[in-house]
Amino acid sequence: MSWTYATLLGLLAVLLALSLSTEADTAAVPNSTGRAKDPQGPLKKIFMKEADASNFFRRRSRRASKSQDEINAEQRQILAADERKREFHEEKRNKFESYAEEEHDEQNEKTRESTEQWREFHYDGMHPPHEYNRQSI
């Protein structure tokens, strides 16, 4: 049972230390409502008055139709996103095509070299080499 008393006493000491410290007062939200009612500078652009906000939500309910400007802005965003996707996939496809072409060329080169080595190794000197089977360089 003594550990519960020690824990309770420790928590009580921490609570007392926090309530007496000066940082606890600075962390509290100030009670001045003058600044909250009339924001200045860039905050004025972000926040709107309560009446304007309620009118905004009343005007734009779930079933309300959108204005033409909003529809146009959404369409521009959708078209821009589609264009970015198209460019991304086109770039990806071009990279893969160039990679596949390089791999194909490299494989053809390896095949040609191995065929040349096989012909040189098996040539007995008696018969003419098969020129018509060789790839022209």
Side-chain angles (χ1 to χ4, degrees), residues 66-74 76:
K66 296 179 182 177
S67 69
Q68 190 62 37
D69 292 336
E70 287 177 311
I71 293 171
N72 292 342
E74 286 180 3
R76 282 194 302 271

Side-chain angles (χ1 to χ4, degrees), residues 80-97:
D82 289 345
E83 180 70 18
R84 285 192 301 270
K85 278 188 213 173
R86 188 188 62 75
E87 288 175 358
F88 171 76
H89 289 298
E90 183 179 345
E91 182 179 336
K92 201 171 184 181
R93 185 179 63 243
N94 288 341
K95 282 183 183 179
F96 177 74
E97 285 176 356

Side-chain angles (χ1 to χ4, degrees), residues 111-127:
T111 304
R112 189 187 66 74
E113 287 176 2
S114 65
T115 304
E116 286 291 323
Q117 289 174 356
W118 186 88
R119 283 183 181 148
E120 287 177 9
F121 181 77
H122 288 86
Y123 180 62
D124 58 0
M126 301 289 284
H127 304 285

Side-chain angles (χ1 to χ4, degrees), residues 119 128-136:
R119 283 183 181 148
H130 300 285
E131 291 290 336
Y132 56 86
N133 280 334
R134 293 186 181 214
Q135 294 179 359
S136 59

Side-chain angles (χ1 to χ4, degrees), residues 41-48:
L43 291 178
K44 201 169 214 173
K45 296 176 186 173
I46 297 173
F47 297 105
M48 61 175 65

Side-chain angles (χ1 to χ4, degrees), residues 37-39 44 47-55:
K37 292 280 185 184
D38 189 25
K44 201 169 214 173
F47 297 105
M48 61 175 65
K49 295 178 183 173
E50 186 177 349
D52 294 339
S54 64
N55 285 338

